[in-house]
């Protein structure tokens, strides 16, 4: 995935505007699977105390050299710095990366997670706010786990949050109507729009814990359920070579 220039980057423009003016226009989200929605831009600027507890837990557990993947406005990176921790924040968005630097993120880099020029290694890798989305779809698992192997230091770990979208298929009697012969139900396509700036469609993976554990195992990673959130969301810890 190439670096996102401003004219193709609705979320980056929303982040830059909110930082500059303290407000922004509507950040709209379209998907072939859902009704039109919006992302509250102020939530991208949440402080530690405003974060859901699964995110706070991930920050508390992070140690050593930390990589914040898809760091957005830098909310997690700033919270980690305030705890005295050492963090590298990466984002494909030029505008988000500029904003992070202006907000005081000491090591903010405009780079794609999958770019082989990212040669540093880390003790903790963070993927937060449905961080599994960056895997894209189930076909993206091999690329994701080989990248994690390259970036992780020995003994290091990954903290990633996700949600089980099965609740979208819940029937009135509490059962779930899921077509198991069809595509995996967590594969979502999104497109965003901010003012007249339209982004390209991209795939964003939501994954339930068992499916994540299955794929992680295929690539030599062990998974632990660290904690669960309030609505089918959870934080997972992935480590190389360990079993569940
Ligand atoms: N983690 C932030 C932002 C989440 S939005 C928060 O919790 O508020 C997801 C972010 O990931 C966006 O800023 C997007 O530009 C970035 N992103 C998407 N794909 C990426 C990739 N391959 N490498 C690095 N960043 C990516």
């Amino acid at each position: 995935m190439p670096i996102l220039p401003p004219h193709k980057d609705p979320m980056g423009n929303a982040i830059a505007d909110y930082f500059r003016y303290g407000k922004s226009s509507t950040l709209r989200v379209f998907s072939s699977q859902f009704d039109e929605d919006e992302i509250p831009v102020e939530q991208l600027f949440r402080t530690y105390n405003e974060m859901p507890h699964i995110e706070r837990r991930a920050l508390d557990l992070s140690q050593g050299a930390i990589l914040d993947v898809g760091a957005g406005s830098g909310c997690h990176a700033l919270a980690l710095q305030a705890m005295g921790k050492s963090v590298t924040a990466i984002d494909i968005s030029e505008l988000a990366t500029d904003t992070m630097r202006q907000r005081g993120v000491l090591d903010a880099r405009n780079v794609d997670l999958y770019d082989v020029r990212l040669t540093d290694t880390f003790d903790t890798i963070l993927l937060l706010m449905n961080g599994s989305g960056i895997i894209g779809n189930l076909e993206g698992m091999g690329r994701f786990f080989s990248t994690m192997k390259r970036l992780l230091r020995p003994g290091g770990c990954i903290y990633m949050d996700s949600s089980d979208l099965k609740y979208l298929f819940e029937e009135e009697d509490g059962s779930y109507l899921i077509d198991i012969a069809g595509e995996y139900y967590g594969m979502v396509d999104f497109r965003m729009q901010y003012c007249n700036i339209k982004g390209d469609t991209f795939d964003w993976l939501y994954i339930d814990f068992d499916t994540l554990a299955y794929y992680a195992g295929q690539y030599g990673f062990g998974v632990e359920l660290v904690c669960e959130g309030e609505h089918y969301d959870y934080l997972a810890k992935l480590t190389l070579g360990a079993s569940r």
Side-chain angles (χ1 to χ4, degrees), residues 11 44 46 70-72 75-76 91-92 111-113 128-129 134:
M11 185 185 266
L44 299 171
R46 59 203 181 280
C75 57
H76 299 111
D91 204 291
I92 49 171
V111 64
D112 188 320
L113 170 66
L128 296 178
M129 194 174 154
I134 271 179

Side-chain angles (χ1 to χ4, degrees), residues 90-207:
I90 62 168
D91 204 291
I92 49 171
S93 161
E94 281 177 31
L95 287 168
T97 310
D98 284 349
T99 305
M100 285 199 268
R101 289 192 188 116
Q102 291 176 52
R103 296 184 75 209
V105 175
L106 299 171
D107 184 8
R109 302 187 202 173
N110 188 204
V111 64
D112 188 320
L113 170 66
Y114 299 110
D115 191 329
V116 290
R117 285 170 295 183
L118 182 62
T119 53
D120 309 52
T121 56
F122 301 91
D123 299 296
T124 306
I125 300 179
L126 285 178
L127 298 110
L128 296 178
M129 194 174 154
N130 197 62
S132 65
I134 271 179
I135 303 170
N137 49 46
L138 293 180
E139 287 75 55
M141 287 290 181
R143 181 174 76 150
F144 174 72
F145 281 111
S146 59
T147 302
M148 292 297 109
K149 275 181 198 164
R150 189 164 54 73
L151 296 176
L152 265 186
R153 290 185 185 168
C157 72
I158 303 160
Y159 292 108
M160 180 167 90
D161 64 355
S162 195
S163 296
D164 184 350
L165 292 191
K166 71 176 179 191
Y167 64 87
L168 295 172
F169 306 92
E170 190 168 359
E171 300 285 283
E172 274 174 17
D173 64 1
S175 65
Y176 297 100
L177 188 66
I178 293 171
D179 177 8
I180 53 170
E183 283 210 314
Y184 176 59
Y185 62 82
M187 298 208 276
V188 175
D189 59 86
F190 283 128
R191 194 168 61 73
M192 292 194 274
Q193 183 174 347
Y194 181 74
C195 303
N196 56 0
I197 301 151
K198 291 182 183 151
D200 291 334
T201 303
F202 58 93
D203 290 336
W204 197 250
L205 180 70
Y206 292 79
I207 191 162

